[in-house]
Amino acid sequence: MGRIGASRLVGLVALILLLAACGGGGSGDDGNAATPPILEEGSPAEDEAGAQEDCLTAEPSGTEIELITRGMAFKPATLKAAAGEVVTVSYTNEDSVPHTFTAEAIGCDSNTVAADDSVQLTFEMPEGTTEFVCTIHPSMKGRLVAT
């Protein structure tokens, strides 16, 4: 019986070591230029990037733009504002199925918006034209266009 307990203990220790080796905590710099760095909380880069990645907001700021989904389409499909302007998109899902507003190029994602629900997304309008999509229904597309 003591032998079985010892082998289980060795197995448990091996599992713990394996899980610890696979866990995070590294610098994130593997030498691949395409991999974004892990940003430290409070660093200037985190502050700038965080505004784009965490675009869901309770309080609108800047220019407000209304966006709805109805009939499996974004309406309007093109949202316009000056490049660099802070905008809040008040997004309402009027369909009977869930949707998302996802603009990967600026790191803005509404997450899933249930039928008859709404969210507000605040971000800085990028330069040029940037696509946004519903990740649940990829044929649903729209554009952010800097004026």
Side-chain angles (χ1 to χ4, degrees), residues 69 72 93-99 113-116 137:
T69 48
M72 300 296 285
N93 179 5
E94 293 184 358
D95 278 335
S96 61
V97 296
H99 293 297
V113 180
D116 297 319
H137 308 99

Side-chain angles (χ1 to χ4, degrees), residues 57-67 79-81 85-91 119-123:
T57 183
E59 295 295 321
S61 62
T63 300
E64 290 187 55
I65 301 173
E66 298 290 326
L67 175 69
L79 307 180
K80 296 180 180 180
E85 184 175 356
V86 173
V87 297
T88 295
V89 174
S90 295
Y91 172 48
V119 296
Q120 294 183 334
L121 306 124
T122 300
F123 54 88

